[in-house]
Every structure is written in C-alpha cells, then in structure tokens.
C-alpha cells in the first residue's frame, strides 16, 4: 500500500539533512541579433540534439533560425512522500519532476517532462507518526485508526512489551507464562478500533475471551504509552484482592485476569486518536470464574510447585476423583443407564455419554456448588437439568439413578396430547426428549451439598415440538395422566387451583384494577404459574440477585425492595404499583419498544389472560416479587393494539 502526503515546508531526514520543496524557473534565454556593428563574428555553439539534454547546457545556450524567437523554460518540482509496503520498513521517497518547455512565438512548440526517484531513507519515528496522523486527517479513515502492521511496526513492539509485562507479573505468582496469539490480537485490535471510533469504553460481547481494557488521555496529540503501562495499572488492583477466598465483587478483576493460572494465550489491541490511547487485552481461556479464584489466583511469592499442589487440593472439592467412597465411573454409568431405561419405556432411542459435554456440565456444577445456588447456565446451547441434595453426614454419597428418578417423577403431571402451558414438567420432558442424542453429566460437592448438572445435545423443550418429542409410555400403567384422566379429575384440580396465597390474590386484584382503567380483560390466577413464580423468587432471594429467568415461556416482571428492618415486607400493591407507575414514560399509539416502560406494558397487555405471582424474602431484608404472564406480552409491532390509553 502506498499513500502520499505533500510536505509544503522542509523536514529533517534521518541523516540530519534538510529536504525542501523546490520551484525554479530559469530566466528566458538570451536572444540572438544580427547586429555585427563591431565587425566581430561569433562562433555559434552546437544546439543540443534533444530537448531533454538542455539541462546539460549553460543558461546562455540559445538558437535562432533568423525569423522567429525560441524561449526555453525549465521547471523542477520536488515532492517528498512516506512509503509503506507490506513486509518492509517505512521509508521516505523523494520524487523530482522536471519539465522543459520551448516556445515559438506565443505558442508552445514542445514540452517534455521527466521524473526521477531519489534513494529512499528510513523514516524517523517522530516524522512517521506525524505523517500517519496527517494522512488519517486528510483521508478520514476513521474505521482504521491504527497503521498497517509490519514486522518491525510499533504495534508488534507494543504487543511484545505487553506480553513481557504480563509474564513478569505471572512469574511472581508462580503461574505459567502466556503466549501471544495472532488470532486473538486481531480480535482485540478490532475492538480497540471500535472503541476509539465510538469514543466510549465498553466490554465486547465476545464471551470466548477474558478481557481487560485500558484508556489514557492527554492534551498532547503526540502522547503515547508503552506496552507495560496498562499491565502495571491492572496489576495494582492486587491490593484489593482477597487471596485464599472467593472475592465478593470484581474490584480486583483486572488483576486476577492478568495472573489467572488457566489462561494460556494473550491478544493485544492498540488504538490512538489524538492524545487518547485505548488498549484491549483478551485472554484464552478466560478467567474470573466464580468458584475458581483460590486455585487460579495464588498469592505473591508462590512457586509453581506450590500452585500445582494448591490446584490438586482444590480439585478435591469435586467428587470426580476425590471421594473414594463414590466411584465416578459407576455414577456416570448408573446415570446413563437410568436415562436410557426410562427413554425405552417411551420408545425413544438411547443417549450416548459425551466426555466433552460432561466436562462442560462439571464446570457449571462446580460453579453452583461454590456459590451455593441453583440457576441455569446463561447462554447455554444445550438442554440442562439440575439436581441438588444436602446432608449433614460427611460420608454421604449419591447414586447415579437418584437424580434421574426424581426428574422422571414429574411425568405424573405431564399431558401428552397437547403443548404444555409451563415447564413444570421440564426435567421429565428433557429426559425423554426424542431428538436428544448425547448426554453429559457433572458433579460437585461442597459443604455437605451435592450438585448434579446434566446437559443434553441437541437441546429439548422447544415450543410446538412437545407432542412429537415426548411420546407416552408404550406399556399400560402410565406414570402420567392422559387428557381423559385429567378431565375426570377436573373437580379435584379446580379445588386445588383456588388455594392461592393471600399475596397472590391481592396481586391479581391490583392487576385487574389497573387493567380495567385501560379497558382490557381481567386476568385469572394460575396455580402452576404461581408455583413457577415462587420457585424463581426463592432463587433470587437466596442468591441476593435480581435477574430474569432464562428461557421462560412467560412474560415476567420482577420487583425488589430492601429495608434494614427485616420485619418490613412490601405488599403486592406496592410491587404492582411500582410497575404501573412507568406509564408516565410511555408514549401511546407508537410502535416503539421503550425499555423503561416494559413492566407497565406487561401489566396491562391485552392478550395476557393468566397470572402467576409470588414473593420471597431473605434474612438480609431483601424482598423479591416475581410475576409471570401467559400469553407473554411486549412483542414488537403489537404495542398499539395491546396497550390502549387509559379511559377518562
């Protein structure tokens, strides 16, 4: 690639000499006359053979044919360029263009232009950076804020400095060094370029890597940073890190990623605009996994042997290979056999155990065991069932068939000849899902609790595919009621459906009060949906975190409140009113999704007919209210018809 920048004034070359732009116009040549008054004869010098040879003659060279005049003018124009070629160092290239022109009378008789390239010289770094910045300003190549890389480019030097700084710090903690990856560097560079163009700082959506970001700005446009400076800035967070235990926040997240033991590869991106510099570092495998800090972030002064020993001790928390009283091979075998036994009852093919999938499942099981919570894995591409059991007996063990039997018992509530309204039988349906072919199982034990995570590929529980993938048992004695059996027990079920909590009844009442204001039909309580809401409210309260339930088939509103008075409990009206008050921000009659009013729009969504609502509270004084709606609302293109204005 080549680009040129015209330099109107002189610059200093690498050898200290000055390079100038030159514009020279030779004066018109002298005119011959026939005046021989002194009787002197002059010998005419030979006229040059071609116009291009004129530069070899003195200014007094002239010619005359006796009847008209000839004027010869020479112009010399010198320009200096910076040249970048792939695989080569940047150089200064001087091009001299020379034009010779002759005139016969007022008209041009002949014009010849020649071009000569002078030898190239290496560009001094300060001049090169100035040329790069001016070239960007002229061409507005904002999408490519960093120069093209070459073997000896500044980018390569920066990345190597950054890598060296990482490995110096990692050595102090006894963890293996990182290696520079070209692929990860490309991804890091893309994000650094994006951030410098966007003018803000944000983490990328790439969950394949761990990520650290550094930004520094100066009023000096030639300001830059060295590769070690961002790493030193991140490493200073070590003072905030609680070694030997799980951190309660990410105040030391940059530091822990720098020294994370399991990370093997590094990618670095550098972008600069004026006096602003942004550095993006990506790590693979990523770090900062909950439940794995102790083994991956050893204290300062640790030796490699001490780190390996610590990792072995930590792994003993997992059942795999740590508890001699539980044969893992037997557990996995029993777990797989139990799956295939029940699948055979329904006439679906057996599953096969996949080691890679089991490793994936165990990673999440360990995460849940350390956090002591039950929650589905975010952005999981597989089907997932989770089981937990606790005991005060330290020698307690678990057989592989037990979780499977527990999940299969949900089949008693499943209706085979229609799509389910909820996922109350989701463990059972995934267990025998016809399209699933592979199974992975992970186990973790911590503080008297055992967590089992099962992953299935391809995933099951897809809407409108239940009838095809969840066939009834082949033999008599079905574990689940058929539709006719469901109808026979309708009176019993109706009686159970009216046994709602006072909180749920109040929540329904307040919802319908607001819905009547907008002229939309009232909703009814659904017992299974209330249980579904209660389950997620309990999970939120236990984890102390408010988040939406992944892959929920319902619409969902969540309310949170805190009081230092642990006896204070908000009412259902408090929660529903908080959601409805978003009406102040809503624009009626417009098909746009305003994320600040989605609680309100779900409350009054016209097509929603069933409600489940529940409350859960923890000892910290935190209260969580979860409401689920069926059919769910907040669909793009349907707001105008489903969210009418309130009646006067």
């Amino acid at each position: 690639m080549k680009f040129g920048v015209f330099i109107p004034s002189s610059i200093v070359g690498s050898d200290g000499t000055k390079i100038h732009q030159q514009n020279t116009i030779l004066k018109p040549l002298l005119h011959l006359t026939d005046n021989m008054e002194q009787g002197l004869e002059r010998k005419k010098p030979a006229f040059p053979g071609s116009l291009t040879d004129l530069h070899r003659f003195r200014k007094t060279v002239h010619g005359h044919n006796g009847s008209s005049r000839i004027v010869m003018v020479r112009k010399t124009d010198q320009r200096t360029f910076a040249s970048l070629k792939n695989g080569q160092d940047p150089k200064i290239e001087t091009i001299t263009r020379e034009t010779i022109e002759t005139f016969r009378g007022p008209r041009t008789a002949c014009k010849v232009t020649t071009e000569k390239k002078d030898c190239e010289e290496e560009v001094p770094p300060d001049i090169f950076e100035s040329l790069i910045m001016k070239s960007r300003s002229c061409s507005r190549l904002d999408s490519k804020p960093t120069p093209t890389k070459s073997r000896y480019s500044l980018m390569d030097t920066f990345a190597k400095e950054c890598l060296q700084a990482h490995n110096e710090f990692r050595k102090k903690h006894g963890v293996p060094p990182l290696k520079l990856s070209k692929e990860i560097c490309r991804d890091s560079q893309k994000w650094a370029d994006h951030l410098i163009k966007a003018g803000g700082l944000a983490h990328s959506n790439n969950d394949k890597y761990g990520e650290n970001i550094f930004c520094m700005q100066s009023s000096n446009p030639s300001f830059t940073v060295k590769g070690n400076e961002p790493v030193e800035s991140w490493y200073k967070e070590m003072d905030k890190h609680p070694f030997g235990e799980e951190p309660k926040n990410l105040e030391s997240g940059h530091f822990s990623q720098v020294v994370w033991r399991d990370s093997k590869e590094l990618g670095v991106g550098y972008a600069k605009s004026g006096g602003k510099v942004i550095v993006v570092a990506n790590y693979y495998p990523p770090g900062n996994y909950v439940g794995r800090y102790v083994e991956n972030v050893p204290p300062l002064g640790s030796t490699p042997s001490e780190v390996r020993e610590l990792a072995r001790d930590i792994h003993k928390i997992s059942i795999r290979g740590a508890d001699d009283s539980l044969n893992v091979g037997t557990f996995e075998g029993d777990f797989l056999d139990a799956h295939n036994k029940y699948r055979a009852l329904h006439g679906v093919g057996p599953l096969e155990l996949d080691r890679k999938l089991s490793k994936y499942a165990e990673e999440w099981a360990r995460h849940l065991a350390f956090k002591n919570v039950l929650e589905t894995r975010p952005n999981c591409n597989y089907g997932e069932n989770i089981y937990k059991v606790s005991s005060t007996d330290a020698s307690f063990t678990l057989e592989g068939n037990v979780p499977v039997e527990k999940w299969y018992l949900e089949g008693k509530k499943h209706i085979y000849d229609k799509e389910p309204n909820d996922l109350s039988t989701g463990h059972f349906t995934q267990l025998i899902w016809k399209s699933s072919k592979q199974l992975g199982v992970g186990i973790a034990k911590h503080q008297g609790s055992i967590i089992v995570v099962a992953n299935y590929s391809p995933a099951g529980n897809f809407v409108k595919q239940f009838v095809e993938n969840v066939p009834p048992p082949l033999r008599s004695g079905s574990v689940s009621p058929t539709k006719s059996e469901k109808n026979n027990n309708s009176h019993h079920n109706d009686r159970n459906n009216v046994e709602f909590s006072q909180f749920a009844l109040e929540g329904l009442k307040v919802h319908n009060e607001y819905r009547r204001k907008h002229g939309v039909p009232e909703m009814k309580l659904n017992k299974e949906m209330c249980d579904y809401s209660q389950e997620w409210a309990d999970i939120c309260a236990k984890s102390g975190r408010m988040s939406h339930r992944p892959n929920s088939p319902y619409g969902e509103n969540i309310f949170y409140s805190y009081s230092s008075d642990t006896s204070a409990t908000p009412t259902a009206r408090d929660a529903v009113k908080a959601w409805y008050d978003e009406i102040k921000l809503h624009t009626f009659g417009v098909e746009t999704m305003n994320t600040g009013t989605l609680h309100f729009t779900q409350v009054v969504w016209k097509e929603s007919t069933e409600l489940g609502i529940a409350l859960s509270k923890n000892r910290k004084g935190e209260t969580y209210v979860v409401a689920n709606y069926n059919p769910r609302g907040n669909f793009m293109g349907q707001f105008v018809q489903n969210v009418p204005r309130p009646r006067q």
Side-chain angles (χ1 to χ4, degrees):
M1 180 184 86
K2 241 183 193 184
F3 58 89
V5 181
F6 177 66
I7 302 179
S9 59
S10 64
I11 62 172
V12 180
S14 60
D15 58 354
T17 61
K18 288 189 177 181
I19 303 173
H20 299 272
Q21 174 189 337
Q22 300 175 5
N23 284 289
T24 305
I25 302 179
L26 300 182
K27 295 180 179 179
L29 300 179
L30 299 177
H31 308 294
L32 290 178
T33 68
D34 292 328
N35 188 351
M36 306 292 291
E37 293 178 357
Q38 298 180 4
L40 298 176
E41 287 192 20
R42 297 182 181 179
K43 186 178 181 180
K44 295 181 181 180
F47 194 79
S50 67
L51 290 175
T52 57
D53 292 332
L54 284 173
H55 68 279
R56 291 184 292 180
F57 291 83
R58 299 188 306 276
K59 295 182 181 180
T60 56
V61 172
H62 53 277
H64 190 267
N65 62 2
S67 61
S68 62
R69 73 186 183 90
I70 299 176
V71 180
M72 288 162 287
V73 179
R74 178 193 297 168
K75 297 180 181 179
T76 301
D77 183 30
Q78 186 181 65
R79 297 171 184 258
T80 302
F81 295 81
S83 174
L84 283 177
K85 298 179 181 179
N86 291 335
Q88 298 182 12
D89 293 339
K91 295 179 182 297
I92 280 185
E93 184 176 75
T94 301
I95 299 177
T96 302
R97 293 184 178 89
E98 186 176 73
T99 301
I100 301 176
E101 189 172 3
T102 67
F103 296 86
R104 185 174 297 276
R107 295 177 299 178
T108 298
C110 186
K111 184 176 181 180
V112 178
T113 300
T114 61
E115 181 178 293
K116 178 183 176 182
K117 293 185 179 179
D118 292 343
C119 60
E120 300 178 350
E121 300 179 3
E122 292 188 1
V123 182
D126 55 340
I127 297 178
F128 176 67
E129 183 175 356
S130 177
L131 292 174
I132 291 295
M133 295 303 297
K134 188 162 186 176
S135 174
R136 286 187 194 149
S137 176
C138 294
S139 58
R140 298 182 180 180
L141 295 176
D142 292 336
S143 60
K144 298 180 180 179
T146 54
T148 303
K149 291 185 180 180
S150 65
R151 185 174 53 180
Y152 303 108
S153 69
L154 298 175
M155 272 304 308
D156 287 343
T157 302
F158 183 88
K160 290 176 181 177
E161 289 177 351
C162 194
L163 174 68
Q164 182 180 354
H166 272 85
N167 289 336
E168 288 176 357
F169 287 128
R170 289 173 69 88
K171 185 177 181 180
K172 293 181 179 181
H173 293 260
V175 299
L178 299 171
K179 293 182 180 180
L180 210 58
S181 165
K182 291 183 179 180
E183 179 184 353
I184 303 177
C185 281
R186 284 194 295 269
D187 292 339
S188 302
Q189 188 62 52
K190 288 180 182 178
W191 191 245
D193 292 344
H194 167 79
L195 294 179
I196 204 74
K197 181 180 179 181
L201 291 182
H203 282 289
S204 64
N205 295 325
N206 191 339
D207 57 3
K208 182 180 179 181
Y209 307 126
E211 187 173 71
N212 280 349
I213 300 178
F214 171 88
C215 178
M216 185 170 284
Q217 194 163 0
S218 171
S219 58
N220 180 7
S222 61
F223 165 78
T224 187
V225 298
K226 296 182 179 180
N228 61 300
E229 294 182 47
V231 190
E232 291 173 356
S233 174
W234 298 329
Y235 187 79
K236 287 179 181 179
E237 293 179 359
M238 181 181 67
D239 297 338
K240 304 176 183 178
H241 189 78
F243 292 99
E245 61 182 271
E246 288 292 304
K248 296 180 180 179
N249 52 53
L250 284 177
E251 288 183 341
S252 60
H254 296 96
F255 156 73
S256 53
Q257 177 60 87
V258 167
V259 301
W260 193 264
R261 181 181 68 93
D262 286 347
S263 294
K264 307 297 182 187
E265 294 180 299
L266 172 69
V268 181
Y270 171 99
K272 184 175 185 296
S273 178
K276 184 176 183 180
V277 173
I278 290 181
V279 179
V280 175
N282 285 129
Y283 307 80
Y284 181 81
N288 291 337
Y289 274 104
V290 175
R292 300 177 63 180
Y293 279 86
V294 177
E295 63 183 289
N296 277 283
V297 189
L300 188 66
S302 300
T303 64
S305 59
E306 290 173 341
V307 173
R308 287 192 295 269
E309 184 177 352
L310 175 64
R312 285 195 295 268
D313 292 340
I314 294 297
H315 275 287
K316 290 181 180 180
I317 296 176
S318 171
I319 293 178
R320 183 175 300 280
D323 192 342
D324 294 335
S325 63
L326 179 61
N327 187 311
V328 175
T330 301
F331 181 91
E332 289 181 338
D334 291 345
F335 191 79
L336 177 65
D337 290 343
H339 271 81
N340 290 335
K341 179 185 71 174
Y342 288 123
R343 290 172 68 87
L345 292 178
H346 295 259
V348 298
L351 298 173
E352 294 182 356
L353 198 64
D354 183 272
R355 293 297 176 184
K356 185 177 180 180
L357 201 55
S358 290
K359 184 178 181 180
Y360 182 82
E362 182 175 335
E363 185 180 76
W364 190 244
R366 293 178 61 191
H367 169 86
L368 297 179
F370 273 103
K371 288 188 66 177
N372 194 28
V373 297
L374 287 181
E375 58 187 10
T376 57
R377 187 168 189 155
N379 304 316
C380 181
N381 293 324
Y382 307 109
E384 185 176 73
N385 281 349
I386 301 176
Y387 174 85
K388 178 181 179 181
V389 62
S390 301
S391 174
T392 56
D393 182 3
S395 61
F396 171 73
T397 61
L398 182 67
E399 296 179 354
N401 62 300
V402 174
V404 186
E405 292 175 354
K406 176 70 174 177
W407 296 331
Y408 188 76
L409 286 175
E410 291 180 0
K412 294 181 178 179
K413 299 183 292 183
H414 187 74
I415 303 174
Y416 290 98
D417 54 357
K418 72 172 187 177
E419 291 288 311
N421 293 325
D422 55 59
L423 286 178
S424 60
T425 63
H427 297 94
F428 161 73
T429 52
Q430 176 59 87
L431 192 160
I432 64 169
W433 193 264
K434 184 178 180 179
S435 297
S436 296
K437 304 298 181 184
Q438 293 176 311
L439 171 69
V441 56
I443 325 160
K445 185 176 183 180
H446 186 52
Q447 297 180 350
S449 296
I450 294 178
I451 302 288
V452 178
V453 175
N455 285 126
Y456 305 81
S457 179
N461 290 340
F462 282 97
V463 176
K464 296 184 179 180
Q465 297 183 26
F466 280 85
V467 175
E468 175 186 355
N469 280 279
V470 187
L474 298 177
R475 61 184 183 182
S476 59
S478 170
V479 296
S480 303
T482 62
K483 188 173 183 179
S484 59
E485 290 172 335
K486 188 78 173 179
N487 291 335
N488 291 336
N489 294 324
S490 59
H491 176 72
H492 176 71
N493 291 335
D494 290 342
R495 185 183 60 195
N496 289 336
N497 286 340
V498 297
E499 295 176 357
F500 297 106
S501 68
Q502 188 61 38
F503 183 87
L505 293 172
E506 182 187 6
L508 175 68
K509 177 183 176 182
V510 180
H511 269 85
N512 287 336
E513 287 176 1
Y514 287 126
R515 292 173 68 87
R516 284 194 292 270
K517 288 185 177 181
H518 294 260
V520 299
E522 296 184 1
M523 292 190 294
K524 296 181 180 179
L525 284 177
N526 181 299
K527 184 64 168 65
E528 292 180 350
M529 289 176 61
C530 285
D531 293 342
Y532 189 77
S533 301
Q534 186 66 61
E535 181 182 17
W536 190 246
D538 291 342
I539 290 176
C540 291
K542 193 170 185 179
S543 64
R545 186 177 66 180
M546 184 172 69
S547 61
H548 282 290
R549 188 168 192 154
N551 304 318
S552 175
Y554 307 119
E556 185 176 71
N557 280 350
I558 302 180
F559 169 85
Y560 165 84
S561 72
Y562 167 79
S563 174
S564 57
D565 180 5
T566 56
S567 63
T569 303
T571 64
R573 182 173 294 277
D574 294 330
V576 184
K577 182 179 183 299
W579 298 330
Y580 184 82
D581 284 347
E582 292 178 359
I583 188 176
K584 301 172 184 177
L585 304 175
H586 185 73
T587 303
F588 291 94
V590 178
E591 280 300 339
T592 57
M593 182 177 288
N594 184 347
T595 56
T597 66
L598 294 181
H599 295 96
F600 155 69
T601 52
Q602 178 60 87
V603 167
V604 300
W605 194 263
K606 182 178 180 180
E607 292 182 359
S608 295
T609 59
E610 293 181 303
L611 172 70
I613 186 169
L615 172 147
S616 187
K617 186 176 180 180
N618 59 29
R619 296 179 181 178
K620 300 177 183 178
E622 297 175 329
T623 301
Y624 296 84
V625 177
V626 175
N628 288 122
Y629 305 82
N630 185 44
R632 67 191 312 161
N634 292 336
F635 283 99
M636 281 298 297
Q638 300 182 25
F639 280 86
V640 174
Q641 68 184 78
N642 279 281
V643 187
R645 299 176 183 272
R647 295 177 175 178
Q648 298 298 330

